[in-house]
């Protein structure tokens, strides 16, 4: 029987810290102050201006907020 505990599959990350830093610096170079940063599961980085209307809460955000309200 093979011991699978030592077989680790490398985790692929869709983005890196450098990608986030580059997106923020790019937004600042474009002349606006980043306010919100969202990263989707495929690694797409969305930078919203400070004071901009949010693109809306997803179902997970709603569940977290509901749970916080009950605490």
């Amino acid at each position: 029987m093979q011991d699978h505990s030592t077989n680790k599959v490398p985790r692929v990350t869709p983005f890196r810290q450098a990608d986030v830093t580059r997106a923020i610096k790019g937004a600042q170079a474009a002349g606006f102050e980043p306010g919100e940063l969202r990263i989707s599961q495929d690694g797409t980085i969305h930078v919203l201006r400070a004071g901009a209307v949010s693109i809306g809460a997803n179902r997970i955000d709603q569940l977290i907020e509901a749970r916080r309200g009950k605490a």
Side-chain angles (χ1 to χ4, degrees):
M1 190 162 159
Q2 188 177 11
D3 181 17
H4 295 287
S5 64
T6 59
N7 296 337
K8 294 189 178 183
V9 177
R11 178 180 267 174
V12 178
T13 56
F15 70 95
R16 301 186 192 288
Q17 179 66 42
D19 300 327
V20 174
T21 302
R22 190 176 308 114
I24 292 170
K25 287 183 178 182
Q28 291 170 331
F32 70 88
E33 186 62 32
E36 184 175 336
L37 186 78
R38 292 206 172 192
I39 303 171
S40 58
Q41 287 181 334
D42 67 356
T44 304
I45 300 172
H46 302 273
V47 181
L48 294 170
R49 293 179 189 239
V53 176
S54 178
I55 58 177
N58 61 33
R59 182 71 178 134
I60 298 297
D61 291 335
Q62 292 168 351
L63 291 171
I64 291 170
E65 289 301 316
R67 182 171 258 201
R68 285 183 183 158
K70 292 179 182 177

